[in-house]
Amino acid sequence: EGNERSMLEKRVPAGMEYMDGVLEALREYLEEVNCPKKTALHLEIALEELFTNIASYAYGGEPGPVRVYCGLEGGELVLEVEDKGISFNPLDREAPDLQLPLEERPVGGLGIYMVRQFADSVEYQYRDGCNILRLKKCIRP
């Protein structure tokens, strides 16, 4: 119990070329804290989705910082992704209508929908010029 790192924190530029390194760090951290494989996979997909969105839209093509934090808080795993890009709350988007045929669905929106399915709770706040998206997932029985 005592030797596990209490948390992971990485700060990288919001460029797609940095995503693999961040995902790798998350994967290693989740292994260290004995996160169940399925949960770890879901969190990786969620981080990939959020990082891609930030890299694509937050800074209008300019490189800006991304902070990724992951830690155990009680029996919950918390994944936090923060950027200083334009204020954007992905949770304001309507859930996609999955009944619609693919060609009639609006582009986008599916990623954040998936992220919400994977987490027990997702919160967004805009604080001190930062977008902060916080996912929680219970990993203790």
Side-chain angles (χ1 to χ4, degrees), residues 83-130:
D83 69 79
K84 295 182 188 305
I86 48 176
S87 157
F88 173 68
N89 182 355
L91 304 182
D92 283 346
R93 294 192 68 158
E94 291 291 307
D97 181 354
L98 300 178
Q99 306 305 314
L100 281 177
L102 266 175
E103 58 277 6
E104 290 176 28
R105 291 184 205 166
V107 172
L110 199 57
I112 197 67
Y113 170 78
M114 274 191 336
V115 167
R116 294 178 92 153
Q117 301 306 302
F118 289 163
D120 294 332
S121 75
V122 182
E123 298 158 12
Y124 167 86
Q125 53 176 317
Y126 188 74
R127 191 176 70 217
D128 303 329
C130 292

Side-chain angles (χ1 to χ4, degrees), residues 42-121:
H42 284 172
L43 289 171
E44 272 179 57
I45 293 170
L47 178 58
E48 188 171 348
E49 184 60 40
L50 297 170
F51 195 95
T52 301
N53 284 350
I54 292 168
S56 305
Y57 308 117
Y59 296 107
E62 296 294 309
V66 180
R67 174 183 161 269
V68 175
Y69 160 86
C70 190
L72 279 172
E73 298 180 7
E76 286 186 317
L77 206 51
V78 175
L79 176 65
E80 210 171 74
V81 182
E82 184 182 303
D83 69 79
K84 295 182 188 305
I86 48 176
S87 157
F88 173 68
N89 182 355
L91 304 182
D92 283 346
R93 294 192 68 158
E94 291 291 307
D97 181 354
L98 300 178
Q99 306 305 314
L100 281 177
L102 266 175
E103 58 277 6
E104 290 176 28
R105 291 184 205 166
V107 172
L110 199 57
I112 197 67
Y113 170 78
M114 274 191 336
V115 167
R116 294 178 92 153
Q117 301 306 302
F118 289 163
D120 294 332
S121 75

